[in-house]
Amino acid sequence: MSARRPYVRSMDGWWRRNPFFIVYMIREGTAVLVVAYAVVLLFGVVRLAQGEAAYNGWLTALQSPWSLAFHLVLLVSFIYHTWSWFSIMPKTMPMILIGGKKLQPGVITGAGLAVSAVVCAALFILVMQLAS
Amino acid sequence: MKRSNAPIFWSLFGAGGILSALIGPALVFITGIAAPSGLLLPRDTMSYPHMLAFAQHWADKGFVFIVISLFLWHGAHRIFHSLHDLGIPIGTGAKLACYGPALLGTIVAAIALLALRF
């Protein structure tokens, strides 16, 4: 064992010390809920392949208050994911020049959110039409 | 020099990220809230006959497969890159723990969807 024991500052909870990093961690944290939703769907598909009784069990589970509450949390998280995804998009995509001028970050974010709102609405209306 | 495999994982992350940003909120609302509770949609929207017919169409099958697998790969990649922030060392083990379930989920989804036939 070395006699030298240099001081290393603890990094525990580093992100809680700065609001910017709290937002960063919440944004990265949405990944866990995206996975959770994919797992819910995956179980649904597997149950569907197993037959009607198995599938109805999955459907009954989806109708429980716990599941509805969980999906409400998922919904909030997904909306936040959408918002944050397009908020950082100006930084993650290559710069776009229009007439020699840089496309403003607000335009990219706004366009992304608008497209997302239209697509979500269209998808819901489509399902509504198909279901009725 | 050995070619890096990083672009593959980043592509899957990006594809899953944009797909979930575009349709995620609507999907969660439809499958998790509206259809199960009967709010705005008929309660039999996701009944067994409906979903069986849905999953047997090749386009819907492909759509479901893409949603499940890309969401999994997106989440796995993002979680993997957050491990360092949480003080967890990233190595081969962490990589397997993150991408392994995504790969497994992709395979299971493919098998289940193919078992439902066309």
Side-chain angles (χ1 to χ4, degrees):
Chain A
M1 180 120 177
S2 167
R4 198 178 150 270
R5 286 193 300 140
Y7 169 70
V8 179
R9 194 172 72 124
S10 168
M11 288 302 287
D12 285 350
W14 62 273
W15 53 275
R16 265 167 278 160
R17 295 180 204 135
N18 183 331
F20 180 83
F21 293 127
I22 293 175
V23 171
Y24 164 77
M25 288 303 255
I26 292 171
R27 170 174 20 107
E28 299 303 300
T30 60
V32 177
L33 293 161
V34 171
V35 169
Y37 181 61
V39 170
V40 170
L41 292 185
L42 181 62
F43 268 91
V45 170
V46 170
R47 286 312 204 188
L48 190 64
Q50 286 173 341
E52 187 160 11
Y55 179 76
N56 283 339
W58 179 77
L59 205 58
T60 308
L62 272 194
Q63 287 161 350
S64 76
W66 287 109
S67 171
L68 291 175
F70 176 62
H71 278 88
L72 215 55
V73 173
L74 283 182
L75 181 63
V76 171
S77 167
F78 266 82
I79 291 170
Y80 185 77
H81 166 69
T82 299
W83 184 81
S84 66
W85 185 265
F86 290 116
S87 296
I88 55 173
M89 203 177 208
K91 292 174 188 168
T92 55
M93 66 187 282
M95 196 167 73
I96 298 173
L97 290 174
I98 292 175
K101 273 190 174 171
K102 192 181 145 200
L103 191 63
Q104 288 304 300
V107 178
I108 298 168
T109 303
L113 290 175
V115 169
S116 179
V118 169
V119 170
C120 277
L123 185 64
F124 187 76
I125 291 166
L126 177 72
V127 171
M128 236 175 163
Q129 300 282 326
L130 289 173
S132 61
Chain B
M1 200 180 97
K2 194 173 160 282
R3 273 178 80 114
S4 167
N5 58 17
I8 297 168
F9 294 109
W10 278 103
S11 303
L12 289 168
F13 162 76
I18 190 109
L19 185 69
S20 52
L22 284 176
I23 62 168
L27 279 182
V28 171
F29 184 69
I30 291 164
T31 70
I33 297 169
S37 70
L39 177 80
L40 298 173
L41 286 177
R43 280 183 80 102
D44 71 341
T45 302
M46 278 164 58
S47 66
Y48 179 75
H50 283 169
M51 283 300 103
L52 187 64
F54 177 77
Q56 283 181 334
H57 191 278
W58 64 270
D60 302 328
K61 207 185 276 290
F63 174 73
V64 172
F65 175 72
I66 286 169
V67 165
I68 292 176
S69 65
L70 283 185
F71 280 24
L72 285 175
W73 285 103
H74 165 80
H77 187 74
R78 202 164 214 178
I79 291 167
F80 177 68
H81 280 275
S82 300
L83 290 181
H84 175 76
D85 300 330
L86 296 170
I88 300 164
I90 42 174
T92 310
K95 219 169 197 168
L96 281 174
C98 288
Y99 297 125
L103 179 64
L104 186 71
T106 301
I107 294 168
V108 170
I111 291 172
L113 285 165
L114 288 173
L116 284 162
R117 304 218 177 82
F118 288 86

